[in-house]
Amino acid sequence: MSVSDQDPAIDSLDEEKPWKSLAQLHWEGTVTTTGVKNQVIKNEIWDVLEKEGFPSRSLQTLENLQILERYLWPGYSEASTNHHVLLVVLIVTAKCREKLPVWSMGFSAPSLDSGIVRKECAPLVSIGIWHNLATEAAREQKLAQYPQFKRPWRAATKKYEAADEATKARLRFERGWLFALMIDFAARLHELTEENIIYCERIMEFLTDLESQLPTRRYVNTLTKDLHLLALIHLSPMFKFEGNGLFRDLFVLLRHFVNFPVDDSTGTQYTQLQSHEAHCANLARLQKLALKHFKDKLAILALNNYASIDRREDLDDHLKQLTDDELSTLCTLLHLRIIYPSGAKIQVTRQVLLEALVSMHERRRTFREVVKDLSVLPTETSLYDPTLLRNEHYDGDRSLAVPKINLQYLSVGDFLWRSFVLYRCESFFAVRKEMEETIKRMQPRESGPGGGVAFSGFSRMAIPIAKPAIIDVAPPKVGHERPEFVRAEIGLDVRRLADSVRREWESLKQDDVIFLLAVEPLEGAHRLTNGHSTQAGQARSGLKFLRTAEIVQVQDGNGRPIRENIDRDGQGYRRPQRLRLLVNLDATAYKSDNERKSKGTIDVYESINVIVRRKGRENNFKRVLETIQSLALADIPVPGWLQDVFLGYGDPNGATYSRLENRLKSLDLRDTFLNWQHIVESLPGKVVQSSKEGADEFGPPYVLETCTIEAPPPPKSSKKHHSDDAEVSRQPTELIKVSTYSTPNNGPYLTDLPKVNQIRFTPMQVEAITSGTQPGLTVIVGPPGTGKTDVATQIINNIYHDFPKQRTLLIAHSNQALNQLFQKIMSLDIDEHHLLRLGHGEEDLETDVSYSKHGRVESFLDNRGRYLAEVGRLAANLEAPGAHWNSCETAGYFHSVYVIPAWSKFWDNANAPNVTVDEIINSFPFYPYFQDAPQPLFPPSLTKEQTRDIAAGCQRHIDRMFIELEKIRPFEILRTSRDRANYLLVKEARIIAMTSTHAAMRRQEIPDLGFHYDNVVMEEAAQITEIENFIPLALQNPKNNELPVQRVVLCGDHLQNSPIIQSLAFRQFANLEQSLFLRLVRLGVSTINLDYQGRARPSIAKLYKWRYHRLENLPNVLTAAEFRQANAGFRFDHQFIDVPDYKGRGESQPTPHYFQNLGEAEYAVAIYQYMRLLGYPASKISILAMYAGQSALIKDVLNHRCAKNRLFGLPKIVTTVDKYQGEQNDYVILSLTRTARIGYLRDIRRLTVALSRARLGLYILGRRQVFKSCYELSEAFEQLSQRPDRLMVTTGEMFPTQRLLDDEVKSTEMVGVEHLGEYVYEMTKAKIEALKASGQGMPAVEQTMEVMELDEADDVMELDDEDDAQSEELDDVL
């Protein structure tokens, strides 16, 4: 949710009226072409903002009013005032906070991630800044440490010496700017004014950005340490001031990056051993100097072992024995700074020198140690940590002390550390929000004089409980302090719960995380309202304590496992009135609680009174965090060929196949091309040549070999410069040699025929398939409807056949996308035994075959029976005595003793020199076995070669059966289902599919099984967070200290929705929503942009194709009948319908961020009813909304109007646009919802998703005056504005109509929802009367709407009575 969605009550919009009036007076509706008035800039805008303190709300309002696009920028000139320039900067910053594009006007985001900013900053952080180091000796020491820096140092020196005076002045500025900034910053650390504190926070953020990226860190880190900046900050009054918690957190973050264990020159991360050796070398140097120069005072320090002197306290005790002069001497000997420029206002005190010496030599905790100590399970302390609460209130005015997801990382370890910190904060943020919402729903209040707590509300996710009973505390493991586990028992009274809710509690699985809360009444919460203290936050929420636990087993009241009861009793099972949960408590928190209890504090577990659960997907946080934590501790490498690109350094295209040494010169693309002409069309600009003598053209399969040939010489020109130009223009041309091969005959049955691709891929799709089949990195940008799933499927198919020993890991963000991809894979020529689908969602596949682990095992065992039956038939054919069909082992014996000799005898006869066709046929020994094959087995008029080929196919059919039995044999030996499933994963499956979440959850288990793979294909890669992109690359153990991945294929669209991040701070400030896909695009990695869409009518595609560089239409959307026919009952195939206030109301907000619009909900349902009355199938209609609140309201109206009415039924789905990404339907009704402001639809990515879901009809409901003025949406709404903004319907048509889109037809204008409602009512009456007159009954209800998700079901319950009553008001009309 963007900053603009932090809406107050709509009444507060009155604050914006002065700005709106100013806009109407000076720039609204026009673009300033003449100069702006400086008095307006200064008096009416700048002075007002300055007086208010430049609030974010006012800046957002001005930005929404397009002051930048229509006034400030068009009116900008060289003569513009400073106030004008600063206003431009402020508004650009406001746009960047909301991730709105500003590139079209030449602006850049104020971040080092921006290329323009990096280019301008590069001279300011170059090696020239080393001129400011304390001494020449310090600089020489650094040059000796990094010899590779000597050359750029000499070059910079020579450049300065050879420059003229003006250039020298510029160079002096560049090498002195950062030094002056740091000196000024250090001097400001003593001023405790609010403005100065905010300024210093921003400087700390800036320095952290410089230190966190290798190109800027390389020389800056040395200067930072030389100035003792960390020591000056740590000793400053600003750091010690109690209210400066944010400043101290920023210092910790800066210190982390300054001391990060990485080589500043090469970017190589130091191992723990290397870091320890460097630390010891530092101490050894100190000891030598102490022994040589300060033997009397520092003899103990000089002679002790390292471990006894490297703690801060020990170093301080030793060094404080030195006098001030001796400290200065020691610092000089260590080449440390002891003086600052005379005008710096920085005093070099004894404390500064001591702090510099101690911080230089103390043993620091590594980032791995920090990660290891961070708990992945929350408590009330971590949920209400001041840092986390501070992040919650982010509005862009202040910095935040959290790491950022940048374009570049210092190392893989740095990336994993940042990801762990941010993912942990995001997860805890979500947990706290849900706990507070649950407590609010339960409405705790005081009960009785004893101070008890009663609950007058209800939440389906929580149940009041008595205190948990701790029944077992296991002793700690060796080397650990916390108990191995703490087992507790919790009783649940579920008698009053509805069956659906009770079933959810019974469905808790082993290892599910639950939350145990100690809740207080909310009545006293108002007494503590100020500040961000833990106590204040908890008091407001009513949460006193929170502990987590993991489910061990769910039992009924008699102690019997629930799942066993369900399995045993089936439909006759009666749900228990009480449940008993066996859980493992958080052992670390339990140990701490016991220690506090022994000191006389309250017993946490005595006060626990509520148990809370969460929905499955959101509750995976613990296992995902454990995975990231383990990766950070394990130092997992990235494949060597991908490392530099992943970290953001070097050649962005260094990982593409054209730059790799192992590029395949010859590539078998099999059935990628349909025919020879398809090859020629798909390789424009390349010379296609047949390598088959005597054949210029032939059919698939095709093998392509790439060669380079010199271009033919250009014609000679009489003019010299023309010939020169021609010589320059001569470029090598790629020659593609195409060959083919005969595919083997696999047998006489129809099922033996290979499945062949039928899609005529476009040139860009062919390029993507070629790149994906080659080793290396492939990034495929697939706009809506361009067939990126088909491309990914063909890549997988090619890899499967071309590299039979390789395995491919298939990853998608959602089960839905994974199933779509898997569905297409099943239609290709891939043995289903090699397919495996891990995780939930497999049951939604439209197939009778199960591709889960256990389903695959069952399939193997089922095939065993079928194949052994075939062995019995074959034994009867050969008249072989014995029960050869008993097992795979006996079948193998039969194959060796009987089948192979029979084939050998046959081939001896068939290959005899003078044998005839009839003799070959008569000697064939398996006629009885192949009696059920299409007959005749050997058609007449065959040649010898054709006859042998048919026989060879029969042999392959039989051999394949015994090969499969040999593969099944281990399943006879392995007895447990777990062993069988693991064997399948590790040995048999070659295409393994799972969601990114499942990969993150199972990462610790899968590599331990010995699982390995060679290729990774990710669908929806732009919707997956970067850490979830990374984990599938590390789902196996390294080989030779490198992950053995050969191919990475990323398919996605960064111009559609990004990963969903709940916290505004982590989404906008930390950039946690950035996917690896988007980062690679921003880094400049070559992308393959699919450029032909075949999903939507051209007129609908035109609404969003402007978002893409080039997006054309495939011939099918121009010529196919369904795209040429009009939509029955509608004048237009797409239309924006202006919906005014309904009953005096537009948008409403029953709870924060829960937006609804009853008028649009009624209108959407009325259009749906109208379409159903015309005969549109309900399964072809989807209703989408921009907000979950509106989606829930539409469902509520549908339940009132349509659910039980046989004429209507329910549409295929009602959901939000975000959840519908990746889906499509023929007809979409879209509710934009907002009427006061645009909201997060200003994020053009959401608009792209919203407009691209429909194939044949799109009807958008919204408030025209709100959306037409939005600059970012202008391209789409200009096209929508070309048609009337009232729904235009046609009469006398039923679905499907024979009318064409371009046909002229009379239409009727619907004036508002009431008019459409009356029209639908009259149609309904007429329909019913017609059915009665014809003697037909009412049609069966077409109940097609997908099952409502639990969170949306909760949303329906949240509708207030007033909205529900208004929803019923139209019942009289409809």
Side-chain angles (χ1 to χ4, degrees):
M1 188 171 297
S2 63
V3 174
S4 64
D5 261 5
Q6 293 181 320
D7 289 345
I10 296 177
D11 294 339
S12 68
L13 296 176
D14 291 340
E15 301 173 7
E16 302 176 357
K17 288 183 178 178
W19 297 119
K20 290 183 177 179
S21 300
L22 187 68
Q24 291 171 353
L25 183 62
H26 295 288
W27 69 81
E28 189 173 73
T30 61
V31 176
T32 299
T33 55
T34 60
V36 300
K37 297 179 180 178
N38 290 334
Q39 60 268 28
V40 174
I41 293 287
K42 175 67 170 64
N43 301 333
E44 299 186 45
I45 303 177
W46 179 268
D47 288 348
V48 176
L49 289 172
E50 186 177 36
K51 184 178 179 181
E52 296 175 351
F54 300 97
S56 297
R57 171 87 39 206
S58 295
L59 293 175
Q60 291 161 19
T61 300
L62 287 170
E63 192 277 317
N64 291 338
L65 294 170
Q66 301 180 35
I67 187 174
L68 180 65
E69 296 85 357
R70 296 186 179 274
Y71 191 65
L72 294 178
W73 187 240
Y76 177 80
S77 68
E78 293 293 332
S80 296
T81 64
N82 289 340
H83 294 115
H84 190 154
V85 174
L86 290 173
L87 279 175
V88 170
V89 172
L90 286 171
I91 302 302
V92 167
T93 303
K95 291 178 79 72
C96 291
R97 284 177 184 169
E98 298 191 63
K99 300 296 180 69
L100 296 173
V102 290
W103 315 103
S104 59
M105 292 173 288
F107 292 112
S108 174
S111 165
L112 289 173
D113 279 355
S114 164
I116 298 175
V117 175
R118 284 200 307 272
K119 181 180 178 181
E120 293 299 319
C121 284
L124 304 178
V125 295
S126 66
I127 198 170
I129 65 176
W130 280 12
H131 281 280
N132 302 292
L133 297 184
T135 63
E136 187 77 20
R139 184 163 55 249
E140 291 302 324
Q141 182 185 22
K142 280 296 176 183
L143 291 174
Q145 182 181 355
Y146 301 109
Q148 55 270 44
F149 288 168
K150 291 181 179 179
R151 184 175 179 181
W153 172 256
R154 288 195 297 267
T157 303
K158 289 180 180 179
K159 181 179 179 181
Y160 180 81
E161 292 172 350
D164 56 26
E165 287 303 318
T167 304
K168 285 183 177 179
R170 178 177 59 80
L171 292 175
R172 284 194 297 271
F173 169 79
E174 289 174 351
R175 71 191 189 188
W177 180 83
L178 184 61
F179 176 75
L181 180 74
M182 289 181 173
I183 292 294
D184 177 69
F185 164 70
R188 288 174 176 267
L189 294 172
H190 297 270
E191 302 176 20
L192 296 181
T193 62
E194 182 178 0
E195 290 183 356
N196 192 60
I197 291 173
I198 295 175
Y199 171 80
C200 289
E201 290 170 353
R202 287 295 185 188
I203 295 298
M204 293 252 277
E205 178 192 348
F206 174 65
L207 294 175
T208 302
D209 287 345
L210 293 179
E211 292 279 359
S212 64
Q213 300 183 70
L214 190 61
T216 53
R217 169 196 179 88
R218 184 165 283 126
Y219 307 118
V220 170
N221 194 43
T222 298
L223 183 61
T224 302
K225 292 179 178 179
D226 177 80
L227 288 172
H228 310 319
L229 207 57
L230 294 178
L232 293 172
I233 297 171
H234 189 251
L235 297 173
S236 68
M238 191 173 291
F239 182 88
K240 297 176 181 177
F241 182 62
E242 184 179 355
N244 276 357
L246 173 59
F247 186 83
R248 285 188 289 274
D249 290 342
L250 286 167
F251 166 78
V252 172
L253 187 62
L254 176 61
R255 183 179 61 189
H256 164 83
F257 282 112
V258 168
N259 296 322
F260 193 84
V262 67
D263 187 302
D264 290 342
S265 172
T266 64
T268 304
Q269 181 178 309
Y270 296 137
T271 64
Q272 287 184 301
L273 177 60
Q274 289 172 326
S275 298
H276 180 68
E277 289 175 347
H279 170 64
C280 292
N282 233 5
L283 286 174
R285 184 182 176 208
L286 176 66
Q287 287 182 320
K288 289 179 181 178
L289 291 174
L291 189 61
K292 182 176 181 180
H293 298 280
F294 310 100
K295 184 176 181 179
D296 294 340
K297 295 185 177 180
L298 299 181
I300 297 177
L301 177 129
L303 299 175
N304 266 351
N305 61 68
Y306 298 147
S308 63
I309 62 170
D310 66 353
R311 292 188 309 151
R312 169 171 283 269
E313 298 80 6
D314 297 329
L315 284 167
D316 192 62
D317 287 341
H318 289 298
L319 294 175
K320 68 182 181 183
Q321 300 177 48
L322 300 178
T323 64
D324 292 355
D325 291 339
E326 288 171 334
L327 277 175
S328 297
T329 302
L330 179 57
C331 288
T332 302
L333 292 171
L334 289 169
H335 305 305
L336 300 182
R337 180 183 292 273
I338 60 172
I339 58 172
Y340 289 86
S342 56
K345 300 180 182 179
I346 300 175
Q347 295 182 354
V348 183
T349 62
R350 176 184 178 85
Q351 286 74 22
V352 170
L353 296 180
L354 271 174
E355 179 64 26
L357 286 167
V358 170
S359 60
M360 178 181 179
H361 296 93
E362 68 175 333
R363 191 187 75 82
R364 293 182 289 268
R365 298 178 69 206
T366 65
F367 75 92
R368 290 189 182 90
E369 291 173 326
V370 173
V371 168
K372 185 178 180 180
D373 291 344
L374 286 174
S375 174
V376 299
L377 293 173
T379 66
E380 75 285 349
T381 304
S382 56
L383 290 185
Y384 288 92
D385 182 87
T387 301
L388 192 60
L389 291 178
R390 193 183 299 117
N391 297 338
E392 181 182 351
H393 299 283
Y394 173 74
D395 60 4
D397 288 341
R398 302 285 288 268
S399 296
L400 293 179
V402 293
K404 299 177 182 177
I405 300 298
N406 296 326
L407 281 180
Q408 300 172 327
Y409 302 108
L410 296 177
S411 66
V412 176
D414 173 40
F415 160 71
L416 291 170
W417 174 81
R418 298 189 205 195
S419 299
F420 179 75
V421 171
L422 290 173
Y423 198 97
R424 179 176 180 268
C425 290
E426 167 72 4
S427 300
F428 285 11
F429 171 85
V431 169
R432 181 166 59 83
K433 285 297 183 184
E434 289 192 32
M435 296 304 109
E436 291 177 347
E437 180 64 24
T438 299
I439 294 172
K440 181 179 177 182
R441 287 173 181 264
M442 295 189 71
Q443 301 176 20
R445 54 181 176 79
E446 290 185 3
S447 175
V453 180
F455 299 92
S456 54
F458 167 78
S459 171
R460 68 186 302 148
M461 309 303 292
I463 298 177
I465 60 171
K467 66 179 183 179
I470 298 174
I471 58 178
D472 189 12
V473 179
K477 290 183 178 180
V478 176
H480 292 77
E481 296 182 355
R482 61 181 179 83
E484 181 180 355
F485 64 83
V486 180
R487 187 69 46 81
E489 185 181 281
I490 303 171
L492 304 182
D493 185 353
V494 295
R495 288 174 298 177
R496 299 183 180 181
L497 299 181
D499 282 347
S500 59
V501 180
R502 196 185 307 183
R503 188 161 47 245
E504 292 168 11
W505 282 99
E506 293 175 1
S507 299
L508 288 171
K509 303 184 295 296
Q510 185 177 359
D511 298 328
D512 279 355
V513 177
I514 57 171
F515 302 87
L516 306 176
L517 278 56
V519 177
E520 296 179 319
L522 292 172
E523 283 82 349
H526 67 277
R527 303 191 196 103
L528 298 170
T529 58
N530 191 24
H532 281 163
S533 69
T534 301
Q535 293 81 6
Q538 289 178 240
R540 287 196 298 272
S541 68
L543 177 62
K544 186 176 181 181
F545 299 114
L546 179 142
R547 294 293 178 267
T548 55
E550 292 182 83
I551 296 292
V552 175
Q553 195 175 63
V554 182
Q555 302 175 346
D556 61 15
N558 298 319
R560 295 182 302 175
I562 287 290
R563 289 187 175 275
E564 291 182 12
N565 287 341
I566 294 176
D567 293 340
R568 185 179 66 243
D569 298 332
Q571 295 181 351
Y573 168 68
R574 289 189 61 187
R575 300 198 176 280
Q577 302 296 305
R578 295 182 181 274
L579 297 178
R580 182 186 300 167
L581 303 183
L582 292 182
V583 301
N584 284 337
L585 300 176
D586 180 358
T588 303
Y590 179 81
K591 176 179 177 294
S592 301
D593 292 336
N594 268 357
E595 290 174 353
R596 285 193 294 269
K597 180 182 176 182
S598 65
K599 297 178 182 178
T601 59
I602 190 172
D603 186 344
V604 172
Y605 303 95
E606 290 287 335
S607 57
I608 286 175
N609 52 10
V610 172
I611 182 173
V612 181
R613 61 185 173 87
R614 298 177 74 204
K615 303 180 187 74
R617 187 176 180 87
E618 291 84 350
N619 209 34
N620 295 327
F621 74 96
K622 174 182 178 287
R623 302 180 76 174
V624 176
L625 281 173
E626 287 176 338
T627 292
I628 305 173
Q629 190 178 47
S630 66
L631 289 172
L633 297 177
D635 196 17
I636 292 291
V638 172
W641 56 270
L642 184 61
Q643 172 135 350
D644 286 349
V645 173
F646 179 81
L647 294 178
Y649 305 123
D651 180 5
N653 297 318
T656 55
Y657 78 92
S658 59
R659 305 289 179 89
L660 297 180
E661 295 181 357
N662 61 341
R663 173 185 178 179
L664 301 174
K665 294 183 179 179
S666 179
L667 198 62
D668 185 356
L669 292 180
R670 299 180 58 79
D671 57 354
T672 300
F673 303 104
L674 301 184
N675 49 48
W676 184 267
Q677 184 61 31
H678 188 196
I679 297 180
V680 176
E681 293 173 354
S682 301
L683 303 173
K686 299 179 182 178
V687 178
V688 180
Q689 177 181 308
S690 170
S691 62
K692 186 176 181 181
E693 294 185 8
D696 293 336
E697 298 183 11
F698 43 84
Y702 295 111
V703 179
L704 274 60
E705 182 181 354
T706 303
C707 307
T708 302
I709 60 174
E710 290 294 330
K716 292 184 178 180
S717 173
S718 59
K719 295 185 178 180
K720 185 177 185 303
H721 66 274
H722 284 181
S723 61
D724 292 342
D725 292 343
E727 287 296 325
V728 172
S729 65
R730 288 182 62 185
Q731 298 293 335
T733 302
E734 279 194 3
L735 170 64
I736 307 297
K737 292 185 177 181
V738 184
S739 60
T740 188
Y741 55 89
S742 298
T743 55
N745 186 327
N746 288 322
Y749 297 94
L750 294 177
T751 55
D752 293 326
L753 295 175
K755 300 174 184 176
V756 181
N757 165 56
Q758 302 295 329
I759 300 174
R760 192 176 187 87
F761 291 111
T762 67
M764 292 307 295
Q765 288 177 322
V766 168
E767 183 179 341
I769 293 168
T770 302
S771 177
T773 309
Q774 288 272 10
L777 173 67
T778 301
V779 181
I780 303 171
V781 178
T786 52
K788 57 180 178 289
T789 304
D790 292 320
V791 169
T793 304
Q794 188 64 24
I795 291 172
I796 294 168
N797 186 43
N798 288 347
I799 294 173
Y800 173 84
H801 289 284
D802 293 355
F803 310 97
K805 293 185 179 180
Q806 294 188 9
R807 313 176 82 200
T808 299
L809 185 63
L810 181 56
I811 301 292
H813 169 63
S814 63
N815 283 307
Q816 190 174 337
L818 196 62
N819 286 343
Q820 288 177 353
L821 191 52
F822 214 71
Q823 203 82 39
K824 294 193 174 185
I825 290 174
M826 291 187 299
S827 65
L828 297 177
D829 189 28
I830 294 177
D831 191 335
E832 68 177 31
H833 300 156
H834 292 145
L835 298 176
L836 179 62
R837 170 76 161 81
L838 299 182
H840 298 291
E842 185 268 342
E843 59 273 8
D844 296 329
L845 280 169
E846 297 175 3
T847 175
D848 296 331
V849 181
S850 174
Y851 289 92
S852 66
K853 278 198 296 187
H854 298 292
R856 290 288 81 210
V857 170
E858 291 174 4
S859 175
F860 268 91
L861 297 177
D862 290 343
N863 289 336
R864 172 183 177 273
R866 180 164 58 86
Y867 286 136
L868 288 178
E870 292 295 304
V871 170
R873 287 182 56 228
L874 198 57
N877 178 103
L878 297 176
E879 298 179 352
H884 302 290
W885 54 88
N886 273 352
S887 67
C888 296
E889 183 179 5
T890 57
Y893 170 80
F894 167 73
H895 182 239
S896 301
V897 174
Y898 290 96
V899 178
I900 293 178
W903 279 116
S904 297
K905 182 178 179 180
F906 166 76
W907 286 115
D908 288 341
N909 293 329
N911 293 324
N914 299 319
V915 69
T916 65
V917 171
D918 289 339
E919 288 174 341
I920 295 175
I921 294 174
N922 292 333
S923 65
F924 186 72
F926 297 101
Y927 268 115
Y929 177 76
F930 287 106
Q931 283 180 349
D932 58 346
Q935 299 296 324
L937 188 61
F938 294 96
S941 303
L942 291 176
T943 65
K944 289 182 185 180
E945 290 303 320
Q946 290 172 335
T947 306
R948 292 187 185 112
D949 184 60
I950 292 174
C954 293
Q955 183 177 9
R956 291 189 187 95
H957 178 88
I958 292 175
D959 288 348
R960 191 163 55 249
M961 177 175 66
F962 287 101
I963 291 172
E964 292 300 325
L965 284 170
E966 188 63 28
K967 292 180 180 179
I968 295 170
R969 187 174 176 183
F971 294 93
E972 290 184 337
I973 301 171
L974 300 171
R975 291 303 178 185
T976 68
S977 59
R978 182 182 182 86
D979 289 341
R980 288 172 171 175
N982 290 339
Y983 177 86
L984 175 72
L985 172 64
V986 175
K987 297 295 184 181
E988 285 299 322
R990 287 183 52 201
I991 299 175
I992 303 96
M994 66 186 78
T995 64
S996 56
T997 302
H998 186 82
M1001 292 172 58
R1002 301 295 179 184
R1003 196 271 157 193
Q1004 296 183 358
E1005 304 167 19
I1006 293 177
D1008 292 340
L1009 298 173
F1011 176 67
H1012 73 278
Y1013 52 94
D1014 307 275
N1015 315 294
V1016 178
V1017 178
M1018 292 191 197
E1019 177 73 307
E1020 288 185 331
Q1023 282 190 275
I1024 304 174
T1025 59
E1026 187 155 8
I1027 185 60
E1028 290 178 309
N1029 284 131
F1030 176 82
I1031 290 173
L1033 301 180
L1035 212 58
Q1036 59 185 326
N1037 292 321
K1039 295 181 179 179
N1040 300 322
N1041 200 34
E1042 189 170 307
L1043 292 175
V1045 175
Q1046 298 187 31
R1047 293 172 184 81
V1048 175
V1049 180
L1050 304 179
C1051 304
D1053 184 4
H1054 59 291
L1055 298 181
Q1056 296 189 60
N1057 282 347
S1058 59
I1060 298 174
I1061 304 298
Q1062 294 189 34
S1063 170
L1064 181 68
F1066 303 137
R1067 186 168 66 248
Q1068 294 193 351
F1069 181 86
N1071 206 22
L1072 186 56
E1073 69 171 0
Q1074 177 176 262
S1075 63
L1076 175 62
F1077 187 97
L1078 175 58
R1079 186 165 69 88
L1080 293 176
V1081 171
R1082 294 178 61 202
L1083 282 169
V1085 173
S1086 291
T1087 60
I1088 300 172
N1089 302 287
L1090 307 184
D1091 54 358
Y1092 278 87
Q1093 74 87 23
R1095 171 190 293 175
R1097 296 185 195 269
S1099 56
I1100 294 177
K1102 191 177 180 182
L1103 296 175
Y1104 56 84
K1105 66 186 296 184
W1106 57 274
R1107 288 281 288 139
Y1108 301 92
H1109 174 64
R1110 181 184 172 217
L1111 184 59
E1112 304 298 334
N1113 299 306
L1114 285 172
N1116 71 299
V1117 299
L1118 301 174
T1119 59
E1122 64 174 344
F1123 293 103
R1124 297 182 63 223
Q1125 289 173 346
N1127 295 340
F1130 293 94
R1131 173 66 183 87
F1132 302 106
D1133 55 352
H1134 71 78
Q1135 198 175 356
F1136 181 91
I1137 303 161
D1138 187 39
V1139 181
D1141 286 353
Y1142 175 69
K1143 300 297 181 181
R1145 294 183 67 182
E1147 70 177 60
S1148 59
Q1149 195 176 176
T1151 59
H1153 314 307
Y1154 193 76
F1155 292 98
Q1156 296 178 336
N1157 185 320
L1158 183 59
E1160 289 186 19
E1162 294 285 5
Y1163 214 130
V1165 173
I1167 293 177
Y1168 168 72
Q1169 291 177 305
Y1170 173 66
M1171 296 177 73
R1172 292 289 290 129
L1173 290 170
L1174 293 179
Y1176 285 85
S1179 60
K1180 292 184 178 295
I1181 305 172
S1182 296
I1183 303 180
L1184 306 181
M1186 296 306 300
Y1187 292 85
Q1190 182 69 355
S1191 173
L1193 182 58
I1194 292 172
K1195 289 175 181 176
D1196 196 34
V1197 177
L1198 281 168
N1199 287 332
H1200 277 83
R1201 307 249 185 271
C1202 305
K1204 299 179 181 179
N1205 191 319
R1206 295 185 180 183
L1207 287 177
F1208 304 123
L1210 294 173
K1212 179 179 180 180
I1213 192 171
V1214 178
T1215 187
T1216 61
V1217 168
D1218 287 354
K1219 292 180 179 179
Y1220 205 58
Q1221 180 165 343
E1223 291 294 297
Q1224 64 184 39
N1225 208 346
D1226 287 357
Y1227 306 97
V1228 170
I1229 304 168
L1230 172 65
S1231 171
L1232 301 183
T1233 309
R1234 303 299 299 275
T1235 58
R1237 64 179 73 226
I1238 296 171
Y1240 63 41
L1241 191 60
R1242 289 194 72 188
D1243 185 341
I1244 312 177
R1245 297 172 299 183
R1246 278 193 171 89
L1247 177 73
T1248 305
V1249 177
L1251 297 179
S1252 60
R1253 299 307 95 197
R1255 295 181 64 248
L1256 304 176
L1258 174 64
Y1259 301 97
I1260 307 170
L1261 307 171
R1263 185 67 57 87
R1264 177 181 287 273
Q1265 67 181 24
V1266 171
F1267 293 96
K1268 73 174 182 180
S1269 61
C1270 178
Y1271 179 80
E1272 289 76 23
L1273 312 183
S1274 58
E1275 287 277 356
F1277 278 87
E1278 280 179 10
Q1279 297 178 48
L1280 291 169
S1281 299
Q1282 295 173 8
R1283 295 181 175 180
D1285 61 5
R1286 289 181 176 175
L1287 180 64
M1288 307 298 292
V1289 301
T1290 59
T1291 58
E1293 288 183 325
M1294 294 295 290
F1295 176 87
T1297 182
Q1298 298 302 311
R1299 175 169 58 92
L1300 299 180
L1301 271 178
D1302 298 331
D1303 291 349
E1304 292 294 329
V1305 63
K1306 292 183 179 180
S1307 57
T1308 302
E1309 181 183 274
M1310 294 291 107
V1311 186
V1313 62
E1314 294 88 350
H1315 186 186
L1316 180 60
E1318 292 171 358
Y1319 192 73
V1320 170
Y1321 173 68
E1322 295 296 331
M1323 289 180 64
T1324 305
K1325 284 202 308 181
K1327 182 82 170 180
I1328 293 174
E1329 291 172 359
L1331 290 173
K1332 289 180 179 179
S1334 63
Q1336 300 177 18
M1338 294 287 284
V1341 177
E1342 189 178 349
Q1343 199 80 3
T1344 61
M1345 189 162 75
E1346 295 179 3
V1347 177
M1348 187 184 301
E1349 297 184 13
L1350 293 178
D1351 57 342
E1352 295 185 347
D1354 284 341
D1355 290 338
V1356 174
M1357 295 168 61
E1358 291 178 2
L1359 303 179
D1360 58 20
D1361 294 336
E1362 182 180 356
D1363 284 328
D1364 196 50
Q1366 288 189 15
S1367 179
E1368 294 175 352
E1369 287 180 4
L1370 283 186
D1371 281 340
D1372 296 334
V1373 178
L1374 299 177

